[in-house]
Amino acid sequence: MVKLNFYWSTVMKQIHIAIEFLLLLILSLFGQALEANGAKKSAIDYQKLAVEDLKKTKEAIEQYTKAIESESDSAYLYYYYRADLKERMLDRLGALKDYDQSIKLNPSFAYAYNRRGLVRLGERDTLGAISDWDKAIDLKPYFAQIA
């Protein structure tokens, strides 16, 4: 029952991510509609914000890559954070590889198992997701209580 609550909360988080994506799509369509109705300045402003956010995300990925290359003891964290950014850019395979590296460098890092489970669920690897969540709960039992 405890693990079921954890899985349900994880599914709800995945739904939340999908809703955020749909909201971004709606905002994009809204910007296109504004532009079509003569409100070009507003639509261009929205587009500039989106491009700026994308540039910042790419810059952050580059910074984490440099940090990883420095062979720090915290490399597992840098892989984890870079995977999160790749997820946001919908690069799920890149995110999976980084979560794998994070886990390889620190097999007791429960957060990486949890996030990798979310990506696996998004890739329709349900059994892999459940396996990761079970491992995360084994490492951090309170994960099962997160709602």
Side-chain angles (χ1 to χ4, degrees):
M1 183 64 170
V2 172
K3 286 187 179 183
L4 181 59
N5 289 337
F6 172 76
Y7 299 137
W8 179 247
S9 70
T10 304
V11 168
M12 293 306 293
K13 287 177 189 174
Q14 212 46 37
I15 290 170
H16 184 263
I17 291 169
I19 289 170
E20 283 182 18
F21 174 76
L22 290 174
L23 287 174
L24 288 173
L25 180 63
I26 290 168
L27 282 174
S28 173
L29 293 173
F30 178 70
Q32 291 173 8
L34 283 174
E35 189 173 355
N37 288 325
K40 283 188 176 182
K41 184 167 177 23
S42 294
I44 290 171
D45 288 343
Y46 282 120
Q47 185 178 20
K48 284 181 183 176
L49 287 173
V51 168
E52 195 61 34
D53 188 47
L54 181 62
K55 284 181 185 176
K56 287 179 183 176
T57 302
K58 287 182 178 180
E59 288 172 8
I61 287 174
E62 289 173 14
Q63 291 300 317
Y64 284 126
T65 301
K66 288 178 184 175
I68 289 167
E69 290 168 355
S70 73
E71 298 186 26
S72 164
D73 290 337
S74 301
Y76 75 97
L77 282 173
Y78 301 140
Y79 276 110
Y80 175 79
Y81 292 132
R82 189 174 73 175
D84 179 60
L85 293 173
K86 287 181 178 182
E87 248 186 285
R88 292 172 194 225
M89 294 182 68
L90 303 178
D91 178 9
R92 288 188 174 142
L93 295 179
L96 278 174
K97 288 178 184 178
D98 280 355
Y99 286 131
D100 289 344
Q101 280 300 116
S102 180
I103 290 167
K104 181 179 176 183
L105 294 172
N106 185 352
S108 62
F109 189 42
Y111 295 95
Y113 288 101
N114 184 44
R115 294 300 298 233
R116 187 174 71 177
L118 289 171
V119 175
R120 283 182 167 178
L121 183 65
E123 289 294 305
R124 297 186 178 165
D125 178 8
T126 308
L127 294 177
I130 291 170
S131 173
D132 279 344
W133 295 329
D134 280 342
K135 182 66 175 177
I137 290 171
D138 288 343
L139 293 168
K140 301 271 187 200
Y142 69 87
F143 275 17
Q145 299 171 355
I146 297 174

